[in-house]
């Protein structure tokens, strides 16, 4: 009986050890599963961190490119403003030259108008002088004819006087 009790106690201890072994194995399996889960989670987190780092690098490169583009745009805007300023100065110069040319054209137009008026007056005077010259020429011809007629009619008297 003592042996039976001892045997029962041994069986009981064995069963207890088997239960503890099973519990330990379950705990070990659970720990392994947690370890696998943690490793997988760590891989995911590492991949996300790598992806985030890649995106951060890309964003930083994009920001650098955008910064260079912004600097280039600022430079282009400044050059455009400078070109606009130079164009406006050229436009002002051209406008001033145009005003000068317009003034000169008006002055020459006035001179031409005065010259045309003087020319018309001279043409009018010339026509008057031509008419007067024709009239004087006719008058002189008449006078010559009268003198000839008189000389012919009074030739005998004129011979005696000479």
């Amino acid at each position: 009986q003592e042996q039976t009790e001892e045997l029962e106690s041994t069986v009981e201890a064995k069963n207890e050890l088997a239960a503890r072994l099973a519990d330990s194995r379950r705990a070990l399996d659970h720990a392994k599963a947690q370890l696998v889960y943690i490793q997988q989670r760590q891989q995911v987190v590492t991949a996300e961190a790598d992806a985030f780092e890649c995106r951060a690098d890309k964003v930083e490169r994009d920001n650098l490119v955008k910064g260079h583009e912004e600097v280039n745009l600022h430079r282009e805007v400044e050059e455009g403003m400078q070109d606009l300023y130079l164009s406006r100065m050229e436009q002002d110069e051209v406008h001033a030259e145009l005003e000068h040319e317009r003034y000169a054209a008006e002055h020459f137009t006035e001179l031409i108008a005065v010259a045309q008026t003087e020319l018309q007056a001279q043409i009018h005077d010339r026509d008057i002088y031509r008419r007067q010259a024709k009239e004087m020429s006719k008058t002189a011809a008449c006078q010559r004819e009268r003198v000839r007629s008189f000389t012919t009619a009074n030739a005998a008297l004129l011979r005696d006087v000479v």
Side-chain angles (χ1 to χ4, degrees), residues 2 16 20 25 29-31 40 44 55 63 65 67 75-76 85 90 102 104 109 115 124 143 155:
E2 218 175 275
E16 197 176 300
R20 283 175 59 196
R25 282 190 177 150
D29 288 342
H30 181 65
Q40 289 172 347
V44 168
R55 282 193 306 268
N63 284 342
V65 167
R75 190 175 303 126
E76 287 177 17
Y85 175 74
E90 265 183 54
R102 188 175 292 141
T109 302
H124 181 69
Q143 293 295 332

Side-chain angles (χ1 to χ4, degrees), residues 64-119:
L64 282 173
V65 167
K66 286 179 183 175
H68 290 302
E69 288 175 355
E70 184 178 346
V71 167
N72 288 338
L73 285 175
H74 280 295
R75 190 175 303 126
E76 287 177 17
V77 166
E78 287 175 8
E79 289 172 1
M81 294 296 286
Q82 204 168 26
D83 288 346
L84 179 65
Y85 175 74
L86 292 174
S87 294
R88 283 187 179 158
M89 287 188 63
E90 265 183 54
Q91 184 181 13
D92 290 345
E93 287 176 13
V94 167
H95 184 70
E97 286 180 29
L98 180 63
E99 286 298 316
H100 177 70
E101 293 296 324
R102 188 175 292 141
Y103 171 75
E106 288 174 5
H107 180 68
F108 287 133
T109 302
E110 290 172 5
L111 288 176
I112 289 170
V114 168
Q116 282 179 334
T117 304
E118 288 178 9
L119 178 64

Side-chain angles (χ1 to χ4, degrees), residues 114-161:
V114 168
Q116 282 179 334
T117 304
E118 288 178 9
L119 178 64
Q120 292 299 322
Q122 288 176 359
I123 289 171
H124 181 69
D125 289 347
R126 184 190 68 194
D127 291 343
I128 291 172
Y129 294 146
R130 279 186 180 166
R131 272 185 257 130
Q132 286 176 350
K134 280 182 181 179
E135 287 174 15
M136 286 184 185
S137 180
K138 285 179 186 177
T139 304
C142 284
Q143 293 295 332
R144 276 193 302 271
E145 188 57 38
R146 283 178 74 198
V147 167
R148 239 184 257 136
S149 297
F150 179 77
T151 310
T152 308
N154 297 310
L157 287 172
L158 288 173
R159 270 184 261 165
D160 289 340
V161 175

